[in-house]
Amino acid sequence: MHNAFMWFIFFWVFVLLFMMSVGGYFMFRKFFKVLPKEDGKSKLDWQNYYVEASRHLWTDEAKAFLDLLVDPVPKPFRDIAKHSIAARIGQVALEAKADRVTREHCIEGYILATPRRDYKSLTSYLEKQQIDYTPFKHLLQ
């Protein structure tokens, strides 16, 4: 009986250490996003700026297309992903001096907001949805 309790304690020590490590990793990543860059604004500050600055450019069609693009993201992370992708799309539209957000802005911003490690799943999802991304293939290099 004593030996089984010892193994039970060892098991829970490793489980708790693993859980704290995973949680610490994600907290550390979030901490880096909040740190100010050379210009005095953090990555999150810039995301909020581009979302607010481009809010008037978004049409219902563009919002629906954004919802389609973030659909493969797991539900607990979808709002955060949607915000960061919308910020990048807004940046693309503002830099192009567009009068509204188009599908092309959405596709380009979606590609630019996606980490390089996820390009394979990004392209397979776009192909599955029959979304033409050929004008933006150079961004995937």
Side-chain angles (χ1 to χ4, degrees):
M1 183 69 173
H2 183 269
N3 198 17
F5 184 71
M6 182 181 71
W7 284 110
F8 177 75
I9 295 297
F10 276 143
F11 170 76
W12 276 109
V13 165
F14 288 113
V15 167
L16 291 176
L17 282 174
F18 174 75
M19 294 296 208
M20 287 190 296
S21 299
V22 169
Y25 170 75
F26 285 107
M27 287 176 59
F28 200 63
R29 282 184 43 185
K30 186 74 168 180
F31 173 72
F32 274 132
K33 280 188 166 185
V34 178
L35 287 177
K37 295 182 178 187
E38 298 83 28
D39 59 4
K41 289 189 173 186
S42 69
K43 185 175 181 180
L44 288 178
D45 291 337
W46 280 112
Q47 283 182 358
N48 291 334
Y49 167 77
Y50 284 120
V51 166
E52 289 303 318
S54 66
R55 190 173 297 277
H56 67 282
L57 302 176
W58 286 88
T59 62
D60 290 337
E61 180 185 326
K63 289 176 188 176
F65 190 60
L66 176 62
D67 288 337
L68 175 72
L69 292 176
V70 297
D71 193 47
V73 177
K75 194 131 179 103
F77 308 109
R78 195 169 294 159
D79 289 338
I80 296 167
K82 186 176 181 178
H83 186 266
S84 62
I85 292 169
R88 192 62 175 189
I89 292 169
Q91 180 182 0
V92 167
L94 289 171
E95 288 174 353
K97 295 179 178 33
D99 58 342
R100 65 184 174 88
V101 173
T102 62
R103 274 178 83 93
E104 288 74 26
H105 294 134
C106 290
I107 295 169
E108 182 178 357
Y110 180 57
I111 291 170
L112 293 173
T114 304
R116 190 181 251 351
R117 67 179 179 270
D118 297 334
Y119 281 172
K120 186 175 182 180
S121 61
L122 175 143
T123 55
S124 68
Y125 180 72
L126 290 175
E127 289 167 0
K128 185 175 116 180
Q129 295 296 322
Q130 298 176 346
I131 298 171
D132 181 27
Y133 64 96
T134 52
F136 307 104
K137 276 194 174 181
H138 66 280
L139 297 174
L140 296 168
Q141 301 304 325

